[in-house]
């Protein structure tokens, strides 16, 4: 009896450690959807992979090229899923080899129904076969969407588990992203079903916040602030190998037409983009950029390549920040770090510049700290409080070191 118990515990441990190994810290990369949408193709994905390296993004930790929807060309006469031959004339394996030769990883996309969200061939009832093909191509990650599937939670759990199991039996380590938009509380079941992360909302739009949907009925959709508010209470569910996915970074999109430009996605200011990068890092979301890496201005680069902010995202402790102060104007988030430091983020939700005083004891931090501003890369003070000016929609991120 005792032996059976030990074997059971060991199996559980192996399962958990396997999930952790697949995604010990939030995945970082670039996702094709908001930039290319249905125009995704091998030539430009290779250019993006080149730019990932030449821009310094790869060195900073961005690792994945995630192919999103619209790559599929149907099935062959043996039901093997195939890429669109015009978009991917050399096939996905050749692209994976290219991406791997650059030291990067390749992600792909499918859906738990017959067709994807954009109407392309998907994986329902072909889970084993598709997972084996993805493994043979050298795929490292699968984003699995939920368009065209029944709305109940039970079916979702079954369909996600079926694909997760198929990936585990495929012979290759393939991380698994659950994408049912948070509608069935995936933070309660997706890790157990085999996911390393799960989307918590519908699609991010390139905007600060949703407009009043009564007055602007066609402009619903999720802005940066909306997604922060959805994720704030979910901090207990994140940790190594299981993350709340806040969807793609829209940093550097500037309202470019495409999916993130729909539903009122008119573009954000650089301050707002900086807030997105800061809070996605504090909240342990995957960091999937979606802008054109081949043409980034200096400001976009400085936001995406801030290594001190990235260190907060990738901190080994893997604790999602908790929102400790929350009112209409001021939000303060606290994230404990592996070496005993704390990261804190001070968000001005209002459109006007504000002066804030933050007493660290109000955050449960009772010592004296050296305060480093991670956007300015400067030590800006010592002690147990901070007073300063925060612009409208700006987020300061500080690292506090115990003195
Ligand atoms: C859904 C997902 C998006 C994207 C599209 C592709 O809307 O939530 O992230 O993958 O499908 O069609």
């Amino acid at each position: 009896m005792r032996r059976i118990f030990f074997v059971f515990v060991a199996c559980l441990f192996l399962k958990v450690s396997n999930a952790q190994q697949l995604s010990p810290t939030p995945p970082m990369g670039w996702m094709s959807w908001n930039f290319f949408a249905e125009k995704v193709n091998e030539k430009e994905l290779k250019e993006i992979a080149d730019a990932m390296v030449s821009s310094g993004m790869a060195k900073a930790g961005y690792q994945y090229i995630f192919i999103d929807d619209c790559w599929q060309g149907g099935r062959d006469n043996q039901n093997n899923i195939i890429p669109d031959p015009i978009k991917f004339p050399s096939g996905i394996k050749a692209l994976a080899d290219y991406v791997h030769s650059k030291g990067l990883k390749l992600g792909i996309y499918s859906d738990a129904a017959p067709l994807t969200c954009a109407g392309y061939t998907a994986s329902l009832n072909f889970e084993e076969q598709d997972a084996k093909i993805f493994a043979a191509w050298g795929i490292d990650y699968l984003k699995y969407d939920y368009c065209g599937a029944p709305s109940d939670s039970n079916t979702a759990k079954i369909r996600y588990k079926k694909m997760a199991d198929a990936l585990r039996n495929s012979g290759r380590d393939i991380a698994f992203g659950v994408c049912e938009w948070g509608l069935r509380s995936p933070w309660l079941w997706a890790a157990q079903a085999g996911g390393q992360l799960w989307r918590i909302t519908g699609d991010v739009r390139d905007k600060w916040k949703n407009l009043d949907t009564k007055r602007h009925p066609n402009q619903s959709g999720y802005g940066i602030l909306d997604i922060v508010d959805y994720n704030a209470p979910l901090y207990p569910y994140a940790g190594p190998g299981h993350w709340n996915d806040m969807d793609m970074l829209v940093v550097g999109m500037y309202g470019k037409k495409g999916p993130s430009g729909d539903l009122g996605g008119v573009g954000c200011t650089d301050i707002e983009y900086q807030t997105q990068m800061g809070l996605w890092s504090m909240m342990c979301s995957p960091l999937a950029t979606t802008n054109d890496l081949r043409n980034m201005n200096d400001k976009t680069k400085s936001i995406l390549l801030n290594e001190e902010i990235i260190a907060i995202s990738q901190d080994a402790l893997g604790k999602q920040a908790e929102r400790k102060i929350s009112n209409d104007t001021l939000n303060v988030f606290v994230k404990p770090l592996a070496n005993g430091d704390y990261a804190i983020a001070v968000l001005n939700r209002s459109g006007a510049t504000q002066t804030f005083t933050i007493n660290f004891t109000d955050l449960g931090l009772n010592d004296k700290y050296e305060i480093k501003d991670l956007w300015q890369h400067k030590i800006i003070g010592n002690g147990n409080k901070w007073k300063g000016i925060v612009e409208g929609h700006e987020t300061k991120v500080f690292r506090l070191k115990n003195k």
Side-chain angles (χ1 to χ4, degrees):
M1 191 62 196
R2 263 178 77 174
R3 215 159 133 197
I4 293 174
F5 176 75
F6 281 129
V7 170
F8 174 75
V9 171
C11 287
L12 211 66
F13 177 75
L14 278 179
K15 208 172 163 196
V16 171
S17 55
N18 185 264
Q20 285 189 9
Q21 205 186 311
L22 283 172
S23 188
T25 59
M28 294 174 66
W30 174 90
M31 195 169 265
S32 63
W33 179 242
N34 282 313
F35 189 71
F36 287 123
E38 75 282 359
K39 297 201 180 74
V40 63
N41 65 84
E42 80 179 32
K43 178 176 170 289
E44 286 182 289
L45 287 178
K46 283 178 161 178
E47 290 171 11
I48 294 284
D50 294 346
M52 186 94 114
V53 175
S54 62
S55 63
M57 298 270 295
K59 189 161 166 280
Y62 295 88
Q63 211 183 12
Y64 287 96
I65 301 288
F66 299 105
I67 310 175
D68 207 284
D69 204 351
C70 310
W71 62 269
Q72 306 87 335
R75 294 188 183 275
D76 68 11
N77 57 13
Q78 289 174 347
N79 278 329
N80 292 321
I81 195 161
I82 50 171
D84 179 314
I86 294 175
K87 296 174 184 171
F88 293 90
S90 320
I92 305 288
K93 167 102 176 63
L95 180 60
D97 290 345
Y98 186 82
V99 164
H100 291 153
S101 77
K102 305 242 141 198
L104 302 172
K105 294 182 169 179
L106 190 65
I108 208 159
Y109 167 101
S110 194
D111 188 296
L115 296 178
T116 68
C117 295
Y120 289 74
T121 302
S123 295
L124 183 69
N125 297 328
F126 291 97
E127 291 85 354
E128 289 279 334
Q129 193 172 348
D130 288 1
K132 291 223 162 75
I133 290 170
F134 296 153
W137 286 345
I139 293 295
D140 304 295
Y141 180 101
L142 175 67
K143 170 175 174 178
Y144 207 46
D145 222 330
Y146 204 64
C147 283
S151 59
D152 65 288
S153 308
N154 208 33
T155 306
K157 287 178 204 169
I158 292 168
R159 290 193 183 184
Y160 277 105
K161 183 165 185 323
K162 191 153 185 216
M163 184 45 109
D165 290 347
L167 293 173
R168 293 311 143 248
N169 293 333
S170 72
R172 187 174 172 86
D173 283 342
I174 301 178
F176 190 42
V178 170
C179 181
E180 58 76 78
W181 323 293
L183 292 179
R184 286 148 283 262
S185 308
W187 43 90
L188 298 178
W189 53 264
Q192 226 169 0
Q196 275 68 62
L197 47 118
W198 47 84
R199 281 271 299 278
I200 57 157
T201 66
D203 296 0
V204 64
R205 305 294 163 178
D206 187 7
K207 62 181 176 180
W208 175 243
K209 125 185 195 355
N210 202 5
L211 297 173
D212 174 349
T213 42
K214 283 207 186 93
R215 281 191 297 149
H216 305 273
N218 297 322
Q219 300 198 352
S220 60
Y222 299 86
I224 291 171
L225 195 62
D226 305 310
I227 297 179
V228 168
D229 288 338
Y230 273 95
N231 201 13
L234 300 179
Y235 69 92
Y237 300 104
H242 50 104
W243 310 106
N244 291 307
D245 178 357
M246 299 166 82
D247 202 6
M248 289 164 251
L249 293 170
V250 287
V251 178
M253 295 296 282
Y254 300 111
K256 190 194 167 297
K257 282 293 151 221
S260 72
D262 295 340
L263 300 175
V266 291
C268 297
T269 63
D270 284 323
I271 286 205
E272 292 167 342
Y273 289 140
Q274 189 171 305
T275 281
Q276 192 192 26
M277 179 70 184
L279 291 178
W280 264 231
S281 299
M282 289 289 292
M283 299 176 102
C284 289
S285 174
L287 300 177
T289 65
T290 188
N291 60 316
D292 187 354
L293 300 187
R294 300 165 301 184
N295 294 299
M296 289 191 276
N297 67 24
D298 287 347
K299 190 67 203 174
T300 298
K301 276 193 203 161
S302 74
I303 294 171
L304 294 177
L305 289 168
N306 184 324
E307 295 198 10
E308 290 189 288
I309 296 288
I310 291 172
I312 302 301
S313 148
Q314 298 297 299
D315 183 77
L317 196 59
K319 283 238 185 239
Q320 179 174 326
E322 184 179 349
R323 183 156 63 180
K324 295 277 196 176
I325 297 177
S326 179
N327 62 49
D328 287 351
T329 313
L330 169 67
N331 281 186
V332 183
F333 299 82
V334 179
K335 183 183 199 299
L337 301 173
N339 71 346
D341 291 359
Y342 291 90
I344 67 170
V346 180
L347 160 66
N348 177 0
R349 297 175 68 97
S350 80
T353 301
Q354 308 279 347
T355 302
F356 294 128
T357 303
I358 316 289
N359 291 310
F360 298 154
T361 45
D362 294 343
L363 310 173
L365 306 177
N366 298 316
D367 294 322
K368 293 218 161 66
Y369 304 91
E370 174 192 277
I371 308 166
K372 184 164 193 193
D373 182 321
L374 301 187
W375 286 114
Q376 284 185 56
H377 305 291
K378 236 175 45 197
I379 291 164
I380 51 149
N382 280 289
N384 59 4
K385 67 173 179 213
W386 174 80
K387 181 177 179 191
I389 292 170
V390 186
E391 281 185 51
H393 301 178
E394 184 186 0
T395 301
K396 303 270 186 205
V397 182
F398 302 130
R399 187 166 182 134
L400 305 187
K401 189 177 278 307
N402 218 320
K403 292 279 288 175

